[in-house]
Every structure is written in structure tokens, then in C-alpha cells.
Amino acid sequence: MTAWTNWAGTERAQPRRTVVARSTDDVVAAVRAGVADGLRVKPLGAGHSFTGAAVTDGVHLDLTGLTGLVAVDQGSGVVTVRGGTRLHDLNPALLRHGLALPNLGDIDQQSITGAIATGTHGTGARLGGLATQVLALRIVLADGIVADCSATERPRLFEAARVGLGALGVVTELTLQCVPSFVLHAQERPEPLDQVLEALDHEAESNDHFEFFWFPRTDRVLAKRNNRVPEGTPLRPLPGWRARLDDELLANTVFEWTNRIATARPSLVPRLNAIASRALSAREFTDTAYKVFVTPRRVVFRECEYAVPREALRPVLAALRDWTELHDEPLPFPVEVRFAASDDVWLSTGYERDNAYVAVHQYHRLPHEPFFAAFEAIVAAHAGRPHWGKLHSLGAERLRELYPRFDEFVAVRHEVDPGRTFGNAYLERVLGS
Ligand SMILES: Cc1cc2nc3c(=O)[nH]c(=O)nc-3n(C[C@H](O)[C@H](O)[C@H](O)COP(=O)(O)OP(=O)(O)OC[C@H]3O[C@@H](n4cnc5c(N)ncnc54)[C@H](O)[C@@H]3O)c2cc1C
């Protein structure tokens, strides 16, 4: 038995066995053996979900050997990648072929399949989440059959499996639509919250990737605008010392100490936030896209994130602001606001809706429950859809109301996994059984 814990330390598992799979055949063998032994099976990504999505008491499938590119068509940008590949390996591998994913989230630690299975997204009002890049999937089902699916081949399985929550089978290969590699001009600077809220729609629409971080109990945000530059524009990356100062020293080392101080002296948090929101200095640089998107995150936190319709963002933030003013809750982490375009992926938070994403965080040594519960109550009034990989309290009953294709997803699951080989407690809660 190999004990397992997720990155945030919110979930633990004591699987009966952990099997390392290096090929689709290995996965088939592991699934068949698990079923024969009456065990449930769960593939592992990088353990970066805050929820129990990857927990099992049966067989944990370690896919760290099932990695790398299988096929690349540089002309069309279509690539096939093995399911266990981590984003930090995939991004440079794509670049070597002159390709890139059009958008990414904050970090690159996840496996491509784990990220897609839970609806991982970045920011960009004209761009969908990572799942919108999926053209085809190879998936090992509970009966040990290897199924290939796409918009034309087993389309219902494909629609369900794009954001599949790990509920349908083990994805061993993914075919993705990539774009030519590109360079981003990054502008980051502190700004007044009201000014940003005033220009929200314009900012979201006129920047390729716009987001901001608001520090509770302050009226300041750190706004980030990343925009594509014409091909051939010379790179002007941050000097090494500045990147280390900002990303390592300030964002990780100093931030860890700020959080420890906040834990010991919660009353200091408003002052710490005021300092942080003003200490962050403006910076501007031009670099390969994935290097701009991704930041190392070593300070351990808990997170809850909801997608709300774009027009709900202002009332949601106003209510959050009121709550933080009224309650003396120590909140040293900023609230993150991002944008994404609507899509057609059944269980994607972006299903047929342009969204703003609001993410609340809490340092792991401080209680997150009061703030997260208040946040969930606020977004509930705006048809908020929770990120499948982040902490939330919703169950199947409510999720069915939020996702028009929920029952079709459940029907596909009944067909391909009637015995719940890939089930676990998280799926029982969010899918109903
Ligand atoms: C520090 C941090 C920053 C983050 N930033 C962002 C962000 O910017 N944007 C965002 O949207 N999210 C973000 N997340 C959330 C994260 O992207 C998701 O939780 C994602 O699922 C993590 O991927 P993983 O590889 O760690 O998957 P895991 O958490 O290991 O697994 C997630 C699910 O995928 C399933 N799975 C894994 N591999 C397979 C497979 N081969 N076949 C079928 N199912 C599989 C697992 O069984 C599980 O159900 C962040 C999380 C952290 C901790």
C-alpha cells in the first residue's frame, strides 16, 4: 500500500495497490486485474486537484511513465500526446515543433489529462478552457476495451469524456488542436479596484488575456494584461534577477512568511494586504507564451473557484467586498478574477456561457471554511458553476440544474461504467451515485 496525498494536503488515499502503467496495454491489464479483484481504479494526474477527484481505496494508476508526444502535424497543429504527460514537459516539447496551446492556467505542474478532466482554464474572454482543444481521445473503459472517440467516432462518449472527471475510464492518449507558437507582451501593475471594475468589459474584450488579483480589505488590485505580439518581435524576458526576485522571493518566500505572520497575528492581515497591494511594482516583459502564463506556486493554499456569467461579476465582487468588510476574517491571499469564452463541452464550466471566474484562496494554516461558505452562498445566487478540481460543496441535485447536459453525461457513464469501477466518494457526491 502506498499512501497518497494531494498537493494541498486536503485529501489522502490508502489504495490497495499502486500500479505504474507505461502503455495503453499496461492500463488495460491494470483495469482488468482491478475489476477481477473487485477493486475500484483511479488514474493519478499530478494530485493538484483540491478535491477528492483522484482518491481511491482500490488501484491507483501511476501514469508518470505514459508520457510524450505520439504524433505531430506541424502544418495543421494537430498533435497526439500520451495521457500522463505533464504540462511542464508538453509546453517545451510543442515549442520545439513551433506549436503551443493557445491558453494555459497559472501553473504547469498538472498532467494534460488531469487538467482537462477537471475543466482547467486560463484567462481570455475569446478563449475556452483546455478541453476545447481536444479533438480525440483514446480511453480504456471498465471492461478493458480501448475506445477511440472524437466528434465523429463514438461522439457521445467524446462529448462526455472531454471534461470527464475521471469518471468514464483512463485516457491514455489525447489529440489536441494546437496553434503556432507565439510570444506575449506582459504588462502587470497595481491599480484601483474601482477603476478596473469600471472598465471590465473593455479590458476583457480588448486584451488577449486579462486578469486581476484583488487584495481583501483594500481597494487595490494587481492587473495583468498579456497580449500577443507580431511574429518576429524580439523577446525581452525579465532579467533573471528580477524573475527570481518577483517569482521566487516575493511570490513564494516572502509570501510564505507573510502568511505565517498572518496566521500568528490575524489582526495584522488588513495592514499586510495594504502593504502587499502597494509593494507589488509594475513590470513589463515579452516572452514565449507559456513562460508568461505560468508561475511557480509553492505557498500551499486551499482554493474554491466558481464560474459566473460575465454580467454577474460586479455584484459578486461587491457582495464579497461587503462580506470581508463586515467579518474579521484573516485573508492574506488575493481573490483572482479571470475570463473565458463559452464552449460546447458538456460538463465544462463554460458550457454555452461566457464566464467570469472568481477564485478565493486561503493559506493552508488558516481556516478557509467561513470565507468559502460565504463565497459559495454569494455565487449560488448567480448560477455559479464550481471548478471540478477545486473545493466546493455542491452535489448532483444542484449540479444537474447548472449543467443542461448533466443527465446525458450520467447516461454515458451508466453505459460505459455500470459497475462504477472508476467511482469514488467525490463522484458519488457530484454525479449522484
Ligand atoms: C497551485 C495550483 C494552481 C492551479 N491553477 C489552476 C488554473 O490556473 N486554472 C485552473 O483551471 N485550475 C487550476 N488548478 C487546478 C488544477 O488544474 C486541476 O485540479 C487539475 O485537475 C489538476 O491536474 P492533475 O494532473 O493534478 O490531476 P489530478 O488532480 O491528479 O486528477 C484530477 C482528475 O483527473 C483524473 N485523471 C488524471 N489522469 C487521468 C487519465 N489519464 N484518464 C482519466 N482521468 C484522469 C483523476 O483521476 C482525477 O479524477 C490549480 C491547482 C493548483 C494546486
Side-chain angles (χ1 to χ4, degrees), residues 9-30:
T10 45
E11 295 289 340
R12 273 161 221 293
Q14 200 62 254
R16 191 72 69 82
R17 57 179 183 254
T18 301
V19 177
V20 179
R22 295 198 166 76
S23 64
T24 299
D25 285 348
D26 286 353
V27 172
V28 170

Side-chain angles (χ1 to χ4, degrees), residues 4 7 42-50 53-54 63 83-84 105-107 109-115 117-122 165-166 169-172 297 301 303 305 336 338 387 389-390:
W4 172 92
W7 177 86
K42 194 52 67 185
L44 285 171
H48 274 57
S49 290
F50 295 85
L63 302 180
D106 284 345
I107 58 159
Q109 299 304 301
Q110 309 96 321
S111 70
I112 181 71
T113 323
T118 56
T120 295
H121 63 89
L165 313 184
V170 184
V171 175
T172 58
R297 301 255 180 248
F301 57 86
E303 181 171 356
E305 182 178 51
E336 185 176 14
R338 294 184 276 186
H387 188 304
K390 301 189 183 178

Side-chain angles (χ1 to χ4, degrees), residues 4 6-8 27 41-55 60-61 63 66 82-87 104-123 129-130 137-140 161 164-174 211 293 295-301 303 305 336 338 349 357 361 387-390 422 424 426-427:
W4 172 92
N6 64 343
W7 177 86
V27 172
V41 179
K42 194 52 67 185
L44 285 171
H48 274 57
S49 290
F50 295 85
T51 65
V55 168
H60 247 160
L61 270 184
L63 302 180
L66 188 71
R82 293 190 186 88
T85 309
R86 300 293 171 99
L87 292 177
L104 289 165
D106 284 345
I107 58 159
D108 59 3
Q109 299 304 301
Q110 309 96 321
S111 70
I112 181 71
T113 323
I116 287 173
T118 56
T120 295
H121 63 89
T123 189
L130 264 61
L137 293 155
R138 175 165 291 175
I139 180 166
V140 176
L165 313 184
L168 306 174
V170 184
V171 175
T172 58
E173 285 183 18
L174 287 146
E211 71 180 313
F293 289 132
T295 317
R297 301 255 180 248
R298 279 186 261 283
V299 182
V300 179
F301 57 86
E303 181 171 356
E305 182 178 51
E336 185 176 14
R338 294 184 276 186
T349 43
Y357 286 87
H361 312 80
H387 188 304
W388 296 106
K390 301 189 183 178
F422 302 108
N424 63 12
Y426 179 69
L427 292 179

Side-chain angles (χ1 to χ4, degrees), residues 261-273:
I261 295 168
T263 310
R265 298 273 307 276
S267 61
L268 287 180
V269 172
R271 231 180 307 158
L272 290 170
N273 283 5

Side-chain angles (χ1 to χ4, degrees), residues 5 13 30 114 150 152 161 170 191 238 262 316 329 352 366-367 389 403 409 426:
T5 178
S150 66
T152 51
V170 184
E191 288 175 18
L238 283 175
V316 165
E329 209 58 32
E352 292 190 344
L366 284 166
Y403 288 93
F409 182 94
Y426 179 69

Side-chain angles (χ1 to χ4, degrees), residues 161-219:
R162 283 197 281 174
V163 172
L165 313 184
L168 306 174
V170 184
V171 175
T172 58
E173 285 183 18
L174 287 146
T175 299
L176 303 169
Q177 178 65 62
C178 295
V179 296
S181 58
F182 58 103
V183 166
L184 287 173
H185 176 223
Q187 289 172 294
E188 303 175 1
R189 59 174 184 250
E191 288 175 18
L193 173 62
D194 287 334
Q195 182 183 309
V196 170
L197 291 180
E198 193 112 324
L200 260 188
D201 285 320
H202 171 73
E203 293 286 7
E205 295 299 335
S206 63
N207 291 288
D208 291 329
H209 312 272
F210 175 68
E211 71 180 313
F212 64 91
F213 295 85
W214 165 59
F215 294 85
R217 309 279 292 271
T218 79
D219 54 6

